[in-house]
Amino acid sequence: GESVGLHLPTLSVQEGDNSIINCAYSNSASDYFIWYKQESGKGPQFIIDIRSNMDKRQGQRVTVLLNKTVKHLSLQIAATQPGDSAVYFCAEDSQTGANSKLTFGKGITLSVRP
Amino acid sequence: EPEVTQTPSHQVTQMGQEVILRCVPISNHLYFYWYRQILGQKVEFLVSFYNNEISEKSEIFDDQFSVERPDGSNFTLKIRSTKLEDSAMYFCASSPRTGREKLFFGSGTQLSVL
């Protein structure tokens, strides 16, 4: 069946180091991918997205890489800060119509050590 | 930055009772969504709504659920007769033009059914 999953449940990094969060997806028809961050008591917050016609997209301190050959998505956070501590979700959208229908992965907790 | 607001933040109800969860999407947005997250599990799609009608709904969104945009500002989710398994965090989301771009999520309503 279709699924979007994260490889690791938790990730602990030293402040200032780079973080890499990985995600695998199985629906080859998915053409739009998003990373969300969820802090305690809040809703998912958009970080960055990428469409399937791209391999890489950069934002402020974040980069998303898409490898369609192996159906793999990663989020790289440069110079990780304590404020980056949160649960991170990857999500895919395989809808062909105008409305979205996101399938979320389970979530990985990023913990930043001071 | 504009926000999606949800009320109440917590709702406790008895099994079999009706609940209405309220959301105010961002004012110029056209697409509206409800998602839910059972504790420790993935965020799951419930329903999408556009032009005053449901665009798509998941298997979870059975006859006990309904959505409404009563006054052009609020967007509500009603659960007619709550069950224990309806206990979850319910997130409202909206997007501006099409659904195939980033969704803005509210902070959620934690529903506890006793």
Side-chain angles (χ1 to χ4, degrees):
Chain A
E2 298 167 4
S3 67
V4 177
L6 295 162
H7 294 303
L8 297 173
T10 59
L11 177 65
S12 180
V13 298
Q14 189 72 40
E15 180 179 356
D17 286 352
N18 297 334
S19 303
I20 300 176
I21 303 172
N22 295 305
C23 177
Y25 66 94
S26 61
N27 186 356
S28 56
S30 295
D31 63 350
Y32 178 52
F33 304 88
I34 314 99
W35 281 100
Y36 282 92
K37 170 186 180 182
Q38 187 176 25
E39 295 173 305
S40 180
K42 296 185 179 179
Q45 179 187 357
F46 175 90
I47 301 173
I48 192 167
D49 59 359
I50 189 167
R51 299 195 185 272
S52 59
N53 60 351
M54 301 174 70
D55 298 322
K56 179 179 179 179
R57 191 158 187 233
Q58 288 185 291
Q60 189 177 13
R61 279 202 308 118
V62 294
T63 301
V64 56
L65 299 176
L66 175 63
N67 185 330
K68 295 181 286 292
T69 302
V70 295
K71 288 183 265 186
H72 186 268
L73 189 69
S74 69
L75 176 70
Q76 300 178 358
I77 305 172
T80 313
Q81 301 169 0
D84 296 326
S85 295
V87 178
Y88 289 79
F89 296 92
C90 62
E92 64 172 321
D93 191 348
S94 55
Q95 285 289 80
T96 56
N99 58 287
S100 174
K101 182 182 177 183
L102 298 179
T103 301
F104 281 82
K106 266 192 181 178
I108 181 168
T109 300
L110 177 64
S111 176
V112 182
R113 303 189 302 273
Chain B
E1 185 173 280
E3 289 184 337
V4 175
T5 57
Q6 291 186 241
T7 55
S9 56
H10 293 86
Q11 175 87 51
V12 181
T13 190
Q14 295 289 324
M15 189 170 57
Q17 294 296 304
E18 175 183 287
V19 294
I20 298 176
L21 310 182
R22 303 182 190 279
C23 169
V24 180
I26 296 171
S27 62
N28 62 344
H29 284 193
L30 301 178
Y31 289 80
F32 312 110
Y33 306 86
W34 285 99
Y35 284 76
R36 80 172 187 188
Q37 185 178 27
I38 294 172
L39 185 64
Q41 298 188 22
K42 301 177 186 181
V43 177
E44 301 173 289
F45 170 82
L46 291 178
V47 66
S48 58
F49 190 87
Y50 170 72
N51 199 25
N52 282 320
E53 59 183 29
I54 290 174
S55 305
E56 185 166 358
K57 57 185 180 180
S58 71
E59 310 78 45
I60 303 167
F61 195 90
D62 61 23
D63 292 343
Q64 295 299 315
F65 290 86
S66 63
V67 290
E68 194 177 29
R69 189 158 160 80
D71 55 12
S73 173
N74 293 284
F75 180 51
T76 61
L77 174 68
K78 182 193 288 187
I79 309 175
R80 199 178 350 263
S81 178
T82 50
K83 303 189 274 290
L84 295 176
E85 55 265 35
D86 294 328
S87 295
M89 180 73 88
Y90 288 81
F91 293 109
C92 174
S94 67
S95 64
R97 293 163 304 188
T98 75
R100 304 307 302 284
E101 56 185 293
K102 70 177 183 180
L103 268 60
F104 293 78
F105 282 83
S107 294
T109 294
Q110 179 65 55
L111 176 65
S112 298
V113 182
L114 306 179

